[in-house]
Amino acid sequence: QVQLVESGGGSVQAGGSLRLSCAASGYKASRYFMGWFRQAPGKEREGVAAIYIGVGSTFYGDSVKGRFTISQDNTNKDLLLQMNSLKPEDTAMYYCAADGMGLIHSAYKYWGQGTQVTVST
C-alpha cells in the first residue's frame, strides 16, 4: 500500500524560506511522477512542482518558477520542496502526490494528507 506523509509546513514571514518533505513508502516502480500541489481556501488545487523520478525531469507552475525547487533526497528517497522568497499568496495546504502526470492534479493516484504553509506580511 502506498503511503505519503508530508512534513515541514509552518508559518513564515514574506521573503522567508521553508522546506517540505514527503516520505513515500510502498511504491515499486522505477520511473514515475511525483508532485507537490497546493490548495488555498476557496481556490482550485494548483500544481506547484513535479519530478519524473528515475529520469530527473522537473516541472514548475508559473507562479513558483525561480523560487521553488523540487528534488528527491538521494539517501532516503523523500520528495523535497525547497521554497524560497515566499509570498503571502503562497499560503495554502500543500500536498504530496505520486503516480500521475506532470502538474495535472486529476491524474495523480496517491495523495498525502497535506501540510499547511502560512506566509504573513
Side-chain angles (χ1 to χ4, degrees):
Q1 183 174 350
V2 176
Q3 286 192 321
L4 304 173
V5 180
E6 302 98 333
S7 61
S11 297
V12 65
Q13 287 192 323
S17 299
L18 282 174
R19 190 176 82 159
L20 305 184
S21 297
C22 174
S25 61
Y27 201 77
K28 304 296 184 183
S30 59
R31 293 187 176 189
Y32 55 98
F33 272 101
M34 290 193 74
W36 287 99
F37 296 81
R38 66 186 182 188
Q39 189 166 19
K43 294 189 176 181
E44 290 190 2
R45 192 162 294 192
E46 173 190 11
V48 175
I51 184 168
Y52 193 28
I53 302 294
V55 175
S57 303
T58 56
F59 307 86
Y60 294 93
D62 288 341
S63 61
V64 305
K65 282 179 182 176
R67 300 189 297 124
F68 291 12
T69 303
I70 189 171
S71 62
Q72 186 183 38
D73 187 296
N74 289 329
T75 302
N76 58 24
K77 304 302 181 186
D78 284 357
L79 184 69
L80 305 175
L81 184 69
Q82 179 65 43
M83 305 186 295
N84 298 327
S85 302
L86 283 161
K87 304 176 181 180
E89 51 263 44
D90 294 318
T91 295
M93 185 71 78
Y94 283 70
Y95 298 91
C96 170
D99 192 3
M101 179 65 69
L103 296 175
I104 305 171
H105 66 83
S106 59
Y108 281 78
K109 185 174 182 179
Y110 303 104
W111 291 86
Q113 82 289 351
T115 186
Q116 178 68 37
V117 171
T118 302
V119 184
S120 59
T121 56

